[in-house]
Amino acid sequence: MKPLEILHHDQWLVAVNKPPGMLVHRSHLSRERHVILQRLRDQLGQRLYPVHRLDRATSGVLLFALDPKTANSLTTTFGEGRADKAYLAVVRGWPEPETGHIDRPVRDDARESHREARTDYRRLALVEMPFSNRRHDTSRYALMQLEPETGRRHQLRIHMERIAHPIIGDTTHGDGEHNRLFRQHLDCHRLLLHASALTLAHPVEQDKTLALQAPLRGEFSDVIQTLGWRDALTKAFAGLSVHQHHQAGNI
């Protein structure tokens, strides 16, 4: 099995570029053998401690601690919202305005209640494709940068669906017809949601900022190329680098 792509590795933590379609770790709901945690343990030959998670279908930056003390520190950082996250997504339609803020509660199944949830978004690129759908002869899509202020389960997927721009490939909160169009015309069978960047203070070296970026791979990268969004993506990653550098200077 192909080794996981390492984005950062020091004596206290390791970050990988998680591929889509894999669980982070086993749970009482799934006893799958091949999970990220076990694969990375085998790859590095040492114990790992999860400090945050990504959905099975989501790819991108995933961070692990290498000892309990570092794990506790990172868990606190994520829990207190002191880790800045950026995601890339392809959505149905052309969201207006170009930048916006979504503030809508998301249901917490564990608590059987709703919790506050906030997401900032920015439109990066637009395209109109000759894919006929039940309403129009063509179909419109947008490349988005999403930045969650809170970390609720499925928050980004739910928020984009609630503003009528669901993420392509989402089989729970998405649009089945447009998911089918991407399978049919672009041979894309995955959720087009990717954790592209993660920025936080290093848990041990306090004067250091971790500015992690995960490049797109596989089907998502192919979609970007086909839709003519490569330049927009390059600019987005460059913009994230500038933002991360600015943050580092203020820590």
Side-chain angles (χ1 to χ4, degrees):
M1 190 173 290
K2 184 178 179 180
L4 293 168
E5 179 181 1
I6 304 294
L7 302 175
H8 177 89
H9 187 190
D10 61 32
Q11 69 186 85
W12 300 285
L13 50 87
V14 60
V16 300
N17 190 358
K18 174 190 175 296
M22 291 189 69
L23 290 172
V24 174
H25 52 72
R26 297 186 183 94
S27 71
H28 68 283
L29 297 176
S30 176
R31 310 302 295 180
E32 291 185 20
R33 178 183 177 187
H34 297 294
V35 295
I36 297 294
L37 179 62
Q38 190 58 56
R39 277 188 61 182
L40 191 55
R41 279 178 177 171
D42 293 343
Q43 183 173 327
L44 298 180
Q46 63 185 116
R47 188 169 183 179
L48 303 170
Y49 300 82
V51 294
H52 72 126
R53 59 178 295 172
L54 294 175
D55 292 340
R56 178 205 294 265
T58 305
S59 58
V61 181
L62 183 64
L63 188 64
F64 294 91
L66 299 179
D67 63 80
K69 183 177 180 181
T70 302
N72 288 336
S73 177
L74 287 172
T75 299
T76 299
T77 295
F78 280 96
E80 294 179 350
R82 292 187 283 112
D84 293 317
K85 309 170 191 175
Y87 291 73
L88 293 170
V90 178
V91 304
R92 182 195 70 190
W94 293 357
E96 294 288 352
E98 185 174 345
T99 61
H101 178 77
I102 305 168
D103 188 347
R104 299 189 182 184
V106 169
R107 180 177 175 82
D108 185 331
D109 292 333
R111 300 187 181 189
E112 296 185 351
S113 61
H114 286 75
R115 302 178 69 186
E116 63 176 0
R118 299 179 300 278
T119 301
D120 290 323
Y121 72 81
R122 180 164 66 95
R123 232 176 47 205
L124 301 177
L126 305 172
V127 72
E128 187 166 4
M129 299 298 290
F131 306 158
S132 60
N133 58 67
R134 61 183 178 273
R135 294 184 178 181
H136 305 285
D137 293 332
T138 60
S139 297
R140 292 180 171 185
Y141 303 102
L143 177 64
M144 307 292 292
Q145 181 173 300
L146 309 177
E147 298 183 358
E149 291 184 12
T150 53
R152 312 306 180 205
R153 185 172 182 267
H154 291 182
Q155 174 178 320
L156 299 179
R157 297 162 63 177
I158 293 171
H159 272 177
M160 296 314 294
E161 186 274 334
R162 286 184 179 175
I163 65 169
H165 296 288
I167 298 174
I168 299 299
D170 191 337
T171 58
T172 303
H173 308 284
D175 184 315
E177 180 180 28
H178 288 270
N179 294 347
R180 177 181 58 79
L181 290 174
F182 265 65
R183 292 193 299 268
Q184 177 182 340
H185 295 286
L186 300 177
D187 195 27
C188 181
H189 302 262
R190 61 157 292 182
L191 172 71
L192 293 179
L193 180 64
H194 176 79
S196 55
L198 175 65
T199 307
L200 68 161
H202 194 286
V204 178
E205 299 177 318
Q206 295 297 326
D207 59 341
K208 180 179 179 180
T209 297
L210 285 172
L212 308 171
Q213 292 189 2
L216 288 176
R217 304 295 185 203
E219 290 182 27
F220 205 151
S221 180
D222 293 343
V223 165
I224 295 295
Q225 185 68 37
T226 301
L227 298 184
W229 287 341
R230 185 60 60 187
D231 288 346
L233 182 65
T234 299
K235 290 179 181 178
F237 272 105
L240 285 171
S241 296
V242 170
H243 178 61
Q244 290 169 333
H245 178 74
H246 175 74
Q247 288 179 319
N250 286 279
I251 287 179

